[in-house]
Structures are given as C-alpha cells and as structure tokens.
C-alpha cells in the first residue's frame, strides 16, 4: 500500500495539543544545508528543533566540515535561532566503513545506502531519546534520489527501538526539492555534486567524465 508520508506528517502536526501550549520538540537529522533549507522553512513554525548533523559517511573530513559550517550559517542567516539549534554529532567515518564493508561495489541507492540510512537514523533516534524530543525525522527524503518509503520504514523501526516517534515525512512533496534549490541560490549555499561518501563521489566523477567525453565527441 502506498502511503502519502507528507499527508501523514500534516496529520501529526495538526493533532498535536500540549496542555501548556508548547510546541513539540523535533530532532531533525540534517545531511547538508541545501537539503535542510526548505525543510527548516516548512517545520520551524510548528516545532522547536534540534538540527542534528550526524553524517559519518561524508568523505573527506574537509568536505564534512564544510557542510557542517554551511548548515550552521544557514540557520543563522535564516534567522531561525533560538527556535532551531544546531547539534553536531561526532565525526565517525570508521563506523561508516564498517557498515559499507563488502558492499563497495553496490550502486548508489542500493544495500550500502540502506545501511547508511540505518546508521544515521539510529544515531538520530538515540540523540532524540537523550534530549527527550517528542519526534525525530530526517531531511534525506527531500532528495529526488532518496526512497522515502525506505527512510520512513527505517525511521519507524528506530523510533520503536528508542521510544521516540518517527515523524513520517516526504519533503520532496509540494515542490520541496525545487524550493530547496531556490533557497540555496538565495543564501549562496554550497551545493555538492555527490551524496557524501567516497563511493558516491566516484560515481559523480565518472558521470562528469562521461559528460565531458560526450561533449568532446559532439564538438568534433
């Protein structure tokens, strides 16, 4: 059965009623500033947000740090503080290396990515429980290359494991990805051309070489 995760999120937001009138607390796992931009714009009015940057898959470390600083700058320049606070997790590339072992040849979007999603969402669920958040979710579904159903199923499992409900979502809906490109241009955000890991970087480089070769052939 197909589930409209965007609609499920809207229902959850509409159903929230706290006796003290407070906003629910959301732990939002963020992969980068461009993906976070439209998500934060959509959610900031409804939640107090811990924006959790935990991405041990990103390589090299300079790339990881660059993306973290861009996210920090975005939150500041969008004027979202103090309702949105960035929380940077540990950089643990060895954890990603362990879960990727044996799947180095998998195409992007395959089993290696499923393990990577689970690694990051489990850490997000653990952090959400530690901070006593009401919900947690991830920005990853805003990408047209990410499977929202897979992300939501993993999120649900991790939420049940750590006792924090996963906020079902599909942020690419309602032109979410398009809005992220507009905001990225507006704030001059660095937009990377690969997901983050060394394997996705290699695939991106191969695509660029193929395009360059096609252009060279067409010019002859």
């Amino acid at each position: 059965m197909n589930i409209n995760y965007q609609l499920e999120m809207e229902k959850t937001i509409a159903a929230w009623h706290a006796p003290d009138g407070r906003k629910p607390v959301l732990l939002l796992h963020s992969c980068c500033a461009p993906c976070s931009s439209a998500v934060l714009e959509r959610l900031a009015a409804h939640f107090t947000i811990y924006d959790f940057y935990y991405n041990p898959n990103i390589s090299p470390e300079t790339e990881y740090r660059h993306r973290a600083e861009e996210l920090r700058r975005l939150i500041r320049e969008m004027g979202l503080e103090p309702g949105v606070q960035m929380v940077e997790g540990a950089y643990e590339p060895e954890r990603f290396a362990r879960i990727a072992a044996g799947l180095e040849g998998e195409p992007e979007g395959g089993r290696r990515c499923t393990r990577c999603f689970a690694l990051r969402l489990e850490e997000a669920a653990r952090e959400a429980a530690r901070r006593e958040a009401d919900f947690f979710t991830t920005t990853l579904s805003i990408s047209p290359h990410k499977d929202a159903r897979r992300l939501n199923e993993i999120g649900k499992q991790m939420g049940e494991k750590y006792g924090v409900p996963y906020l079902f979502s599909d942020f690419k809906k309602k032109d979410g990805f398009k809005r992220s490109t507009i905001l990225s241009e507006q704030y001059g955000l660095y937009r990377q051309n690969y997901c983050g890991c060394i394997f996705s970087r290699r695939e991106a480089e191969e695509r660029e070489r193929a395009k360059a070769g096609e252009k060279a052939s067409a010019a002859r």
Side-chain angles (χ1 to χ4, degrees), residues 1-13 26 28 35 38-40 42-43 47 136-153 155 166-180:
M1 181 180 70
N2 291 327
I3 299 173
N4 185 327
Y5 293 109
Q6 168 67 25
L7 181 59
E8 290 301 308
M9 182 182 73
E10 291 172 358
K11 288 179 180 177
T12 299
I13 292 172
L26 173 70
L28 174 66
C35 288
V39 175
L40 288 170
R42 187 175 294 185
L43 297 182
F47 296 94
F136 80 105
T137 195
T138 180
T139 62
L140 287 167
S141 69
I142 200 168
S143 168
H145 304 295
K146 298 292 190 295
D147 180 356
R149 180 174 181 176
R150 191 177 352 171
L151 288 165
N152 281 280
E153 287 176 350
Y166 186 76
L167 182 69
F168 291 127
S169 50
D170 187 355
F171 292 113
K172 69 177 70 66
K173 297 288 188 180
K174 295 191 173 180
D175 288 330
F177 179 71
K178 181 180 179 181
R179 181 60 181 164
S180 76

Side-chain angles (χ1 to χ4, degrees), residues 176-192:
F177 179 71
K178 181 180 179 181
R179 181 60 181 164
S180 76
T181 63
I182 293 170
L183 289 169
S184 294
E185 184 175 351
Q186 179 180 333
Y187 288 98
L189 297 178
Y190 162 63
R191 288 187 69 86
Q192 61 281 350

Side-chain angles (χ1 to χ4, degrees), residues 41-80:
E41 183 182 63
R42 187 175 294 185
L43 297 182
H46 304 290
F47 296 94
T48 296
I49 299 173
Y50 290 114
D51 200 320
F52 185 51
Y53 182 77
Y54 179 75
N55 300 288
N57 58 309
I58 296 177
S59 177
E61 186 173 355
T62 51
E63 177 76 13
Y64 172 90
R65 300 296 174 195
H66 189 181
R67 296 190 194 191
E69 287 307 310
E70 282 292 90
L71 178 58
R72 190 172 283 109
R73 177 173 70 85
L74 174 70
I75 293 169
R76 183 176 64 251
E77 294 187 4
M78 286 184 74
L80 297 175

Side-chain angles (χ1 to χ4, degrees), residues 73-217:
R73 177 173 70 85
L74 174 70
I75 293 169
R76 183 176 64 251
E77 294 187 4
M78 286 184 74
L80 297 175
E81 299 169 312
V84 177
Q85 298 180 41
M86 180 173 167
V87 176
E88 185 173 346
Y91 182 50
E92 303 171 315
E94 68 281 358
R95 291 187 69 187
F96 174 74
R98 285 197 295 271
I99 62 98
L103 298 175
E104 293 86 352
E106 282 278 307
E108 191 170 356
R111 289 177 297 164
R112 187 184 63 244
C113 291
T114 299
R115 288 188 182 181
C116 183
F117 297 157
L119 171 64
R120 291 188 279 173
L121 285 172
E122 179 162 20
E123 194 64 27
R126 185 182 290 114
E127 184 70 14
R130 191 179 76 79
R131 292 180 177 273
E132 299 183 338
D134 298 294
F135 303 96
F136 80 105
T137 195
T138 180
T139 62
L140 287 167
S141 69
I142 200 168
S143 168
H145 304 295
K146 298 292 190 295
D147 180 356
R149 180 174 181 176
R150 191 177 352 171
L151 288 165
N152 281 280
E153 287 176 350
I154 294 170
K156 182 175 184 292
Q157 292 168 7
M158 296 306 175
E160 290 171 351
K161 181 176 180 179
Y162 290 93
V164 182
Y166 186 76
L167 182 69
F168 291 127
S169 50
D170 187 355
F171 292 113
K172 69 177 70 66
K173 297 288 188 180
K174 295 191 173 180
D175 288 330
F177 179 71
K178 181 180 179 181
R179 181 60 181 164
S180 76
T181 63
I182 293 170
L183 289 169
S184 294
E185 184 175 351
Q186 179 180 333
Y187 288 98
L189 297 178
Y190 162 63
R191 288 187 69 86
Q192 61 281 350
N193 67 346
Y194 68 106
C195 180
C197 72
I198 189 172
F199 311 107
S200 64
R201 183 176 185 176
R202 287 173 183 168
E203 287 193 24
E205 289 171 348
E206 288 172 5
R207 287 194 297 270
E208 291 302 315
R209 282 195 292 270
K211 288 180 182 178
E214 290 173 1
K215 287 182 180 178
S217 297

